[in-house]
Amino acid sequence: MHTATRQFTRWFSLALAVVALTLVTGCASMRLIDSDVVSVAAVPPGMSLQGAKYRFERLPSQVHNPEAGLAEQQAQAAMTAVGLVRDDAAASLSVMVGFSGTQYLADPWGRPLGPGWTPYGSIAIGSGFGGGFGSHIGLGMGMRFPPPTHYRREVSVVMRDLKSGQVVYETRASHAGPWSDSVPIFASLFQAALANFPNPPAGPRRVNIELPR
């Protein structure tokens, strides 16, 4: 009886140490931002987007929105990385940036909770040994918790030829996850949206970008 108790105690202590080490290692690691991206190029014959010069344009609703300025800064960094050049005076393209974000309560798989969800869930972790004549040694613990908040964010970049007014490149990227720090997530979304520029593959694709935790 006492031997089984000591064995179980050692086993449980080792399990806790492994869990703690995993959590510490995970906190120091990178996080993967997986973005769903759709890009469409509609460049007319004789025109090249590689190294093109552009200027930003805003919708009336964005003119006095300070967040629009930050979104343009993040988009500009992503566009510079793929060779586009901001030049308001000599631009051949206009660029309009879009961005949006919502938050929602999620189930354990990250899906939005629908009607009829219970405000609190519970999990229990337990283990034990059983012997003859009904002897039993066991350990269990449980906790109750509110559902986590998840965030869905989306960005878009629309490039228009200033001479013809034609849209020559359109791209969107979205991500849903538990990360509450919007600034780096939006920056990674713009980076994902401009992946494979100016020749994106057809159809939806997944673009993964690593960010520090």
Side-chain angles (χ1 to χ4, degrees):
M1 184 81 166
H2 293 296
T3 302
T5 304
R6 287 195 297 270
Q7 289 176 344
F8 179 75
T9 302
R10 286 197 295 269
W11 174 86
F12 189 72
S13 299
L14 178 61
L16 286 179
V18 170
V19 170
L21 181 60
T22 301
L23 290 175
V24 171
T25 305
C27 289
S29 64
M30 305 292 284
R31 51 182 167 164
L32 186 67
I33 308 302
D34 50 344
S35 300
D36 295 316
V37 180
V38 178
S39 306
V40 179
V43 185
M47 181 180 183
S48 173
L49 296 182
Q50 193 67 52
K53 297 179 180 179
Y54 69 92
R55 71 185 186 209
F56 285 115
E57 289 192 5
R58 295 186 185 182
L59 294 170
S61 60
Q62 297 176 326
V63 171
H64 301 296
N65 185 351
E67 292 182 349
L70 176 58
E72 288 175 354
Q73 291 176 17
Q74 294 176 328
Q76 181 171 335
M79 289 189 287
T80 299
V82 297
L84 291 167
V85 179
R86 181 173 181 179
D87 188 335
D88 292 2
S92 61
L93 300 175
S94 72
V95 174
M96 188 170 293
V97 171
F99 57 94
S100 63
T102 58
Q103 64 183 57
Y104 57 90
L105 297 179
D107 67 13
W109 295 272
R111 300 172 301 196
L113 288 171
W117 64 274
T118 3
Y120 287 90
S122 63
I123 61 173
I125 303 170
S127 183
F129 296 99
F133 304 99
S135 62
H136 180 78
I137 302 170
L139 177 65
M141 57 184 178
M143 58 183 175
R144 298 179 69 81
F145 54 91
T149 300
H150 276 219
Y151 305 84
R152 187 183 189 281
R153 301 178 178 92
E154 180 175 339
V155 303
S156 64
V157 178
V158 177
M159 303 180 190
R160 192 182 301 271
D161 177 29
L162 285 171
K163 289 183 179 179
S164 65
Q166 177 183 341
V167 173
V168 293
Y169 200 88
E170 179 181 2
T171 181
R172 298 178 182 274
S174 62
H175 168 77
W179 314 112
S180 60
D181 48 343
S182 293
V183 173
I185 302 300
F186 273 117
S188 71
L189 282 172
F190 281 114
Q191 184 180 346
L194 271 297
N196 304 110
F197 178 87
N199 301 304
R205 66 191 190 277
R206 179 64 59 88
V207 177
N208 296 328
I209 295 175
E210 288 189 339
L211 291 178
R213 287 182 182 269

